[in-house]
Amino acid sequence: MNKKVVKRGLLPYLFLIIIIMAVFYFFNVMNQKVNVLTYDEFMKDMKNGNVSELVVVPKERAQLYEVTGKLDGYQDNETFFVRMPLSDEVMKKLVEANEEIDFSFDVKADPESSSLLLILVNVVPLLILVGAAFFLFSRQVGGANKSMDFGKSKAKLNTDKNKVTFQDVAGLKEEKEEVKELIDFLKNPKKFQKLGARIPKGVLLFGPPGTGKTLLARAVAGEANVPFYYISGSDFVELFVGVGASRVRDMFGQAKRNAPCLIFIDEIDAVGRQRGTGLGGGHDEREQTLNQLLTEMDGFGENEGIIIIAATNRPDVLDPALLRPGRFDRQVTVNLPDVKGREEILAVHARNKVLAKGVTLENLAKRTPGFSGADLENLLNEAALLAVRRNKDAITMSEVDEATDRVLMGPAKTSKKYSDNDRKLVAYHEAGHAVIGLKLNNANDVQKVTIIPRGSAGGYNMMIPSEEKLCATKTDLLEEITGLLGGRASEEITFKEITTGAHNDFEKATKIARAMVTEYGMSDLGPMQLEQKSGDVFLGRDYNKSRNFSNEVAHEIDTEMRKIIDSCYKQAKEILNENKKLLKLIAETLLEYETLTKEQIDYLVEHGQMPSEDEENNLERMSLTKLKEMAKEKGIKGYSKMNKAELVKELDK
C-alpha cells in the first residue's frame, strides 16, 4: 500500500478528532459557572464553615495565590475563584481552617515553573491551529493549481520495464519495414544528416480496429530505446476554449527538452477531423487545437529528433492539412493479416498456452479469415478459459471450435428451447446454405453447420474461402449471393412457405448486388461508378451517399439489382431441386446431431450416413484434406502431391 495514500487518508480524520475534542472542551467550559469572590467574602465563608473543596495554585511571578473550589449549596457545574496575597500567613490560615472544618484541600505546583508544561499549555494549541490553517490553505492552493493546470499536457511518459519489441509484433512484416527507418534515425541521426536526408516528421498508422497499430508504435519506441510519450486525441479537447492548444504547446515543449523521442497520439481523428464541418462555435475548441497541432508540426526544425506516430481507424475524416508533406509524411496501412500473418500472430499469443497435439496453428489460421490480431488473441484466450472450465490439461480442437463460435456469434443458448417445427425450419434453412456451398465450384468451403442458436441467429453455417483472394470476380460475387439465398430457397421448396429467418441473408445479398451495379460496374449499365460515399463529414461520411445519376438511372439501378437477385435465387432453387436427397440428408442429420463439421459433411456426402467412431479413425474413410493435414503433422515429405491411396499407405507405416 502506498504510504502517501495512507497519510493523506489519515490527516483529515486526525483534524476531525481534534476539532471534535475542541468543541467538547468549549461546551464544557461554557457550561461551567464561576463565582468570583473577594478576599473578604472568601474569608467570611471559610470562618462560617461553608467551604467544601479548595484548590490552591501559587503564582510566584504575580505574588498571588489563585484559589478555586466549592461552597456548600453549590451545584455540580458551579465553582468560585479568588485571588489572595502570596504569603506564609495566608497559607497558615488556610491550613488551620482545613484542620477545623476538614474540607478537601489541595495545593498544586505553579505550571509556569515547568518549561515542558508551559510549552504544552501555550505552544501546542498554537501549533495545532497553525497546522490546521496550513492544511486548509494547501488544499485551497492545490485546487487552484489544478484549475491552473488545464493547459499542461496530459501526455504520459512510458516507463514500462517490459518494453515491447518487434518480436512481439507478428504478421506486420511490410509495416515493420516501413518504420525501421525511424528507429535508425533515432539511434544514429548523423547517418541521415550526412546525405541530407530528411526523416519523416510524422507517421500515420491507419487500418481496421485490432490490427496492431498501437502495438507497432510501442515496438518502435522499444526498439529505439528512447522516451515514448503517449496520449489520446480526446485528451486535448476540454470545456474551455484554448486549453487544447495550450496542451499541444506544452507537449511539444516537453518533447523538445527530451529529444530524440517519440510522441504517439492514439485516435487522432478525435482532434484532427476536417475543419469547417460544424455549425456555429461548437467546434472552436477542437479546431483551435488542430490549428496549434499543425503549427507545431510545421515549426519543427529539420532532424530535431522528434517523431510523431498517430493512429486512427478513420483516415477519411482527417483534415487534409494533417496529411500534407512536412507533417504526416508517411502513411502506413495496417490491414487485416493474411493466413501467414495469422499463423505468426497465433504463435505469439500461444507462447503461454498449452495446446493439445491435434491443434495446429496452421489449420487454425486457415479457419479464421478476416480475424484481426485482437480477435486471434481473444480466440485463444476464450479457448483457454473453456479448457479450464472443462478441467482439461490442454486446449483441444473442441475448445478452439467453441471459442471461434463464441467470437463470431456469441455463446450458445443451449437452455433456450425451440419447438420441433422451428428446429426443422432452421435445419432445412442451414442445410440449404450447405448444399449450395457444396455444389458451386467457386463458393466458399463449408466448415461447420449447426442449428444451436447463438446470438440472434437460430443457427449458422460457417463457410470460408478455399483460398484468400485480393480481388473478387463477378462469378465469385454471384455465387456468394446464391449461397446467401440458399436458406430461403430451401424453406420455399421444402415447406411451401417462407419465414423471417433469412432477413440477415437478404441484407448481405442486397448490399453486394447494389455494389456490383453502382460501384463495380458489373451490370448492363456498364463500367460506371454511379454511387460513392459522400464527402460531407458533418454527420460522418457513411450517413449519406452522393448520387451522380438521374431518377431514370435510379430506376435502372433497381432493375439491375432485381435481375441479379432474381437470377441468383432461381439458380439456388434449381440446385436444391436437383439435390433434394442431399438437402434432406443434411437437414435430418442436423436434427439428430445439431452440429456437423467439415469432415462429417464430406463423409455424409460420400457415404450417405454419419461415420461411426471406428470409421472416423479409419484412414480410408477420411477425406483427402484431412489426410494431408495428418501427413503434415507427422512430417511426411511430398504429401501435397500424393493421392489418397498414397497418403493412406504412408500414414499406415
Side-chain angles (χ1 to χ4, degrees):
M1 186 180 292
N2 194 338
K3 293 183 179 179
K4 292 183 178 179
V5 176
V6 174
K7 291 180 180 178
R8 290 176 183 174
L10 290 177
L11 279 176
Y13 294 105
L14 181 61
F15 282 110
L16 180 62
I17 292 171
I18 293 173
I19 291 172
I20 292 174
M21 292 174 63
V23 169
F24 274 111
Y25 177 77
F26 174 77
F27 279 107
N28 188 33
V29 171
M30 291 294 294
N31 289 330
Q32 291 291 332
K33 182 179 179 181
V34 180
N35 299 318
V36 180
L37 304 179
T38 63
Y39 177 74
D40 294 336
E41 290 174 342
F42 169 72
M43 295 304 294
K44 183 178 179 181
D45 287 327
M46 189 170 61
K47 288 180 180 179
N48 295 332
N50 295 333
V51 177
S52 60
E53 183 179 329
L54 199 64
V55 178
V56 180
V57 179
K59 298 289 184 178
E60 295 181 359
R61 291 186 179 182
Q63 292 295 307
L64 291 172
Y65 284 120
E66 288 186 354
V67 180
T68 58
K70 287 188 175 184
L71 300 179
D72 293 338
Y74 274 20
Q75 298 179 358
D76 292 339
N77 62 339
E78 187 176 4
T79 59
F80 69 84
F81 175 79
V82 62
R83 288 187 176 91
M84 296 186 294
L86 183 64
S87 64
D88 295 337
E89 184 180 354
V90 172
M91 180 58 67
K92 184 178 179 180
K93 291 181 179 179
L94 295 176
V95 172
E96 290 175 352
N98 180 39
E99 291 176 353
E100 293 178 4
I101 305 173
D102 193 19
F103 53 81
S104 175
F105 183 70
D106 188 16
V107 179
K108 293 185 177 180
D110 185 4
E112 295 182 0
S113 62
S114 174
S115 58
L116 178 61
L117 187 60
L118 181 64
I119 293 173
L120 290 176
V121 173
N122 297 316
V123 178
V124 171
L126 182 61
L127 290 177
I128 293 175
L129 291 175
V130 171
F134 177 77
F135 174 75
L136 296 174
F137 180 74
S138 62
R139 290 289 296 270
Q140 294 293 329
V141 172
N145 288 337
K146 288 181 180 178
S147 64
M148 299 302 293
D149 274 352
F150 277 149
K152 297 294 183 180
S153 171
K154 289 190 176 182
K156 299 178 181 178
L157 180 63
N158 186 18
T159 57
D160 191 2
K161 295 181 180 179
N162 301 321
K163 292 185 178 179
V164 178
T165 62
F166 279 168
Q167 293 181 352
D168 303 307
V169 182
L172 300 176
K173 183 177 179 180
E174 291 78 12
E175 289 81 354
K176 287 191 285 188
E177 291 293 332
E178 284 290 321
V179 297
K180 275 186 178 179
E181 288 182 0
L182 307 180
I183 301 171
D184 293 339
F185 171 73
L186 291 170
K187 286 184 175 180
N188 188 14
K190 293 182 180 179
K191 181 173 69 172
F192 293 85
Q193 294 170 0
K194 287 180 181 178
L195 298 179
R198 181 181 63 81
I199 203 71
K201 293 182 179 179
V203 178
L204 180 66
L205 306 176
F206 61 88
T211 50
K213 299 181 291 295
T214 304
L215 186 66
L216 183 61
R218 292 177 60 192
V220 172
E223 291 285 340
N225 196 24
V226 296
F228 176 54
Y229 292 93
Y230 60 97
I231 190 172
S232 173
S234 60
D235 287 334
F236 291 112
V237 183
E238 280 286 355
L239 174 66
F240 304 106
V241 177
V243 172
S246 176
R247 288 180 177 174
V248 171
R249 288 191 296 269
D250 186 65
M251 180 182 69
F252 280 94
Q254 291 182 32
K256 290 175 183 178
R257 291 191 295 270
N258 294 279
C261 67
L262 270 175
I263 298 175
F264 175 61
I265 305 176
D266 197 11
E267 304 297 345
I268 193 174
D269 52 283
V271 69
R273 280 179 173 262
Q274 191 170 334
R275 290 168 291 181
T277 57
L279 298 175
H283 292 273
D284 282 349
E285 161 63 0
R286 182 182 58 77
E287 292 185 5
Q288 286 192 25
T289 306
L290 175 58
N291 290 336
Q292 187 63 43
L293 180 62
L294 296 174
T295 304
E296 292 289 345
M297 292 187 69
D298 198 37
F300 275 5
E302 291 189 6
N303 298 325
E304 260 191 24
I306 303 174
I307 296 176
I308 299 180
I309 301 179
T312 181
N313 304 325
R314 297 294 306 273
D316 54 316
V317 302
L318 295 180
D319 195 273
L322 267 177
L323 307 180
R324 75 157 176 82
R327 286 174 180 145
F328 284 105
D329 307 80
R330 185 170 297 177
Q331 301 175 28
V332 179
T333 305
V334 185
N335 282 322
L336 294 171
D338 57 8
V339 62
K340 185 178 179 181
R342 292 196 297 274
E343 185 177 355
E344 294 174 357
I345 293 171
L346 287 168
V348 171
H349 295 302
R351 290 173 183 172
N352 60 341
K353 305 289 191 303
V354 181
L355 302 179
K357 292 182 179 180
V359 180
T360 58
L361 298 181
E362 181 183 2
N363 293 336
L364 188 53
K366 292 179 180 178
R367 295 162 63 96
T368 52
F371 276 50
S372 66
D375 292 332
L376 295 172
E377 190 276 335
N378 187 36
L379 171 65
L380 288 180
N381 185 62
E382 286 288 343
L385 292 174
L386 285 169
V388 174
R389 194 180 303 169
R390 296 173 180 177
N391 296 321
K392 292 188 176 181
D393 297 329
I395 301 171
T396 65
M397 280 304 300
S398 175
E399 284 75 45
V400 172
D401 287 338
E402 176 66 19
T404 305
D405 295 341
R406 281 172 170 265
V407 172
L408 290 174
M409 303 292 295
K413 298 181 179 179
T414 54
S415 61
K416 192 171 184 178
K417 301 299 181 182
Y418 289 93
S419 65
D420 293 339
N421 187 45
D422 286 340
R423 291 183 75 251
K424 191 173 183 180
L425 279 169
V426 174
Y428 274 91
H429 181 101
E430 300 303 333
H433 289 306
V435 171
I436 299 295
L438 291 169
K439 294 302 177 181
L440 288 179
N441 295 328
N442 295 325
N444 295 338
D445 292 338
V446 180
Q447 294 293 319
K448 185 177 182 180
V449 184
T450 180
I451 59 172
I452 298 175
R454 290 180 182 271
S456 59
Y460 80 99
N461 196 325
M462 181 188 292
M463 302 175 69
I464 64 174
S466 55
E467 59 180 2
E468 296 186 35
K469 300 178 181 179
L470 181 62
C471 297
T473 64
K474 182 178 179 180
T475 303
D476 293 336
L477 296 176
L478 289 174
E479 291 192 356
E480 186 175 352
I481 295 174
T482 304
L484 289 168
L485 299 176
R488 166 57 68 86
S490 176
E491 293 175 8
E492 187 175 349
I493 291 172
T494 305
F495 304 102
K496 310 300 180 184
E497 185 62 273
I498 56 177
T499 68
T500 60
H503 69 282
N504 187 249
D505 299 331
F506 294 158
E507 180 183 352
K508 295 177 181 177
T510 305
K511 186 177 180 180
I512 296 172
R514 188 170 190 87
M516 290 176 65
V517 176
T518 62
E519 296 181 37
Y520 306 147
M522 294 180 177
S523 69
D524 293 340
L525 294 179
M528 300 171 61
Q529 189 177 49
L530 301 171
E531 207 170 57
Q532 61 183 1
K533 292 179 181 179
S534 173
D536 183 13
V537 296
F538 171 56
L539 291 176
R541 291 184 174 176
D542 291 339
Y543 277 77
N544 297 310
K545 290 186 176 181
S546 61
R547 294 179 48 176
N548 299 323
F549 48 83
S550 62
N551 292 331
E552 289 77 7
V553 176
H555 176 71
E556 293 182 22
I557 291 173
D558 295 338
T559 303
E560 290 297 320
M561 288 176 57
R562 188 175 293 108
K563 284 170 59 178
I564 292 174
I565 297 293
D566 289 345
S567 64
C568 291
Y569 188 65
K570 182 179 179 182
Q571 184 184 12
K573 292 179 69 176
E574 290 175 355
I575 294 173
L576 294 178
N577 280 319
E578 293 173 0
N579 298 274
K580 281 187 176 181
K581 291 184 178 179
L582 180 60
L583 175 66
K584 183 178 180 181
L585 176 63
I586 295 177
E588 295 298 329
T589 308
L590 273 174
L591 287 171
E592 182 179 356
Y593 292 91
E594 291 190 333
T595 301
L596 297 176
T597 63
K598 176 177 171 55
E599 292 76 15
Q600 290 172 331
I601 294 172
D602 291 342
Y603 188 92
L604 193 64
V605 173
E606 185 176 352
H607 300 90
Q609 62 181 6
M610 287 287 285
S612 63
E613 292 184 5
D614 294 335
E615 288 174 327
E616 283 188 347
N617 297 323
N618 190 345
L619 296 176
E620 294 181 356
R621 299 281 189 178
M622 293 183 182
S623 65
L624 181 62
T625 304
K626 181 66 175 178
L627 291 172
K628 287 184 177 181
E629 290 177 359
M630 293 177 64
K632 183 176 181 181
E633 291 176 6
K634 290 190 175 184
I636 297 175
K637 296 181 180 180
Y639 71 90
S640 59
K641 298 180 180 180
M642 295 181 184
N643 57 32
K644 186 172 182 178
E646 292 171 339
L647 285 169
V648 171
K649 185 178 179 180
E650 289 293 327
L651 289 169
D652 273 335
K653 291 181 180 180

